[in-house]
Amino acid sequence: MGALQSLPGQPQYIDLAEKTGFSFEQIAVLHKRFKQLSHSEETLRREHFNEIPDLACNPIRAQIIEAFFDRRNYRENGEGTVEEISFEEFLVVMSHFRPPSLHMTEEQREGVRREKLRFLFNMHDTDNDGTITLEEYRHVVEELLSRSGALGKETAKSIADAAMLEVASISVGHMEPDDFYEGITFEHFLKLLNGFEIESRMNIRFLNVDTTTLCK
């Protein structure tokens, strides 16, 4: 993906607005943050993310950073990882954290929900084998609950532990000594998180831009 012009209204901005749902103004703000982080270079590398204070204490910092270099998250059905990313790739990944517009139809909202859960699943499916472990699922639940603000970290952890045990009893059940547990697939993951309100909880503070404000 090529370099981006800095003036809102350029064809590149129109294309990105359609791809990500960000307004021209939001794209301009994020482009400025991108240039600050990359030291005005045209691409970002993993080491640039080490300069972000907001990510320093995040418990899933490594997964968040790696998500920006995962081809699966560029909406191009890619695989594998890259060593550096352009602004367009950065913006597409950022859009996964963006809350849905209030004017969406139920069908559009469901599509956004599925896309967000796919992104979340990919973050924990680090070996790209199409499954996550029970422990990784527990971390997902704990992270989502604790970010809601209504529950303390320890309460969220207790509920997440219980959720992991419930999944184990349902998805694993009785296993013979020679059976092999393959893990939780994405379709199973969708069903397990059916009751979670993922749309507004999946956000991060990034370069002093609160992603909960990045909506129309």
Side-chain angles (χ1 to χ4, degrees), residues 4 10 18 29 37 45-46 48 50 53 63 99 106 118 134 151 153 166 171 181 184 190 194 198 201 203-204 206 215:
L4 187 72
Q10 293 290 328
E18 292 176 350
V29 168
L37 187 58
R45 298 181 298 278
R46 287 172 177 81
H48 288 133
N50 293 327
Q63 291 99 313
E106 282 303 313
R118 168 56 79 178
L134 290 171
L151 295 174
K153 195 72 175 179
E166 181 180 0
S171 61
Y181 174 58
I184 298 170
L190 282 178
N194 184 50
I198 182 76
R201 291 185 182 179
N203 61 79
I204 56 171
F206 196 89
C215 56

Side-chain angles (χ1 to χ4, degrees), residues 81-94:
T81 60
V82 296
E83 294 303 313
E84 56 186 26
I85 58 173
S86 67
F87 175 65
E88 182 172 346
E89 291 160 335
F90 168 83
L91 195 67
V92 169
V93 174
M94 282 294 292

Side-chain angles (χ1 to χ4, degrees), residues 5-135:
Q5 298 294 324
S6 59
L7 295 176
Q10 293 290 328
Q12 293 93 330
Y13 270 68
I14 296 172
D15 180 56
L16 286 179
E18 292 176 350
K19 280 185 178 179
T20 65
F22 289 128
S23 68
F24 290 163
E25 291 78 14
Q26 290 165 347
I27 293 173
V29 168
L30 288 169
H31 194 199
K32 180 180 178 181
R33 298 292 190 266
F34 177 90
K35 289 166 66 177
Q36 290 173 341
L37 187 58
S38 68
H39 304 292
S40 296
E41 294 181 17
E42 292 190 359
T43 59
L44 278 177
R45 298 181 298 278
R46 287 172 177 81
E47 56 264 31
H48 288 133
F49 286 79
N50 293 327
E51 302 174 21
I52 305 175
D54 292 330
L55 284 180
C57 298
N58 194 298
I60 57 170
R61 172 183 173 277
Q63 291 99 313
I64 290 174
I65 293 176
E66 198 58 34
F68 283 88
F69 299 88
D70 189 335
R71 293 180 188 273
R72 292 176 296 175
N73 297 327
Y74 301 152
R75 299 194 177 103
E76 296 178 344
N77 298 318
E79 293 185 0
T81 60
V82 296
E83 294 303 313
E84 56 186 26
I85 58 173
S86 67
F87 175 65
E88 182 172 346
E89 291 160 335
F90 168 83
L91 195 67
V92 169
V93 174
M94 282 294 292
S95 71
H96 289 287
F97 295 98
R98 177 181 173 274
S101 168
L102 297 176
H103 307 295
M104 283 184 174
T105 65
E106 282 303 313
E107 183 178 356
Q108 290 172 326
R109 186 174 291 273
E110 183 56 34
V112 168
R113 174 184 171 79
R114 185 182 179 90
E115 188 175 84
K116 283 178 176 288
L117 286 173
R118 168 56 79 178
F119 179 83
L120 193 61
F121 184 87
N122 288 347
M123 285 178 65
H124 292 84
D125 178 21
T126 55
D127 59 0
N128 195 16
D129 70 346
T131 63
I132 61 174
T133 66
L134 290 171
E135 181 66 16

Side-chain angles (χ1 to χ4, degrees), residues 121-188:
F121 184 87
N122 288 347
M123 285 178 65
H124 292 84
D125 178 21
T126 55
D127 59 0
N128 195 16
D129 70 346
T131 63
I132 61 174
T133 66
L134 290 171
E135 181 66 16
E136 286 166 340
Y137 172 72
R138 185 185 69 79
H139 285 308
V140 170
V141 175
E142 181 180 348
E143 186 69 13
L144 290 176
L145 288 173
S146 62
R147 285 189 177 278
S148 69
L151 295 174
K153 195 72 175 179
E154 287 305 311
T155 301
K157 185 177 184 300
S158 297
I159 295 175
D161 287 342
M164 182 181 71
L165 292 175
E166 181 180 0
V167 172
S169 66
I170 296 173
S171 61
V172 180
H174 176 71
M175 295 182 67
E176 299 298 330
D178 295 332
D179 287 346
F180 176 71
Y181 174 58
E182 296 181 351
I184 298 170
T185 66
F186 177 63
E187 292 303 321
H188 194 189

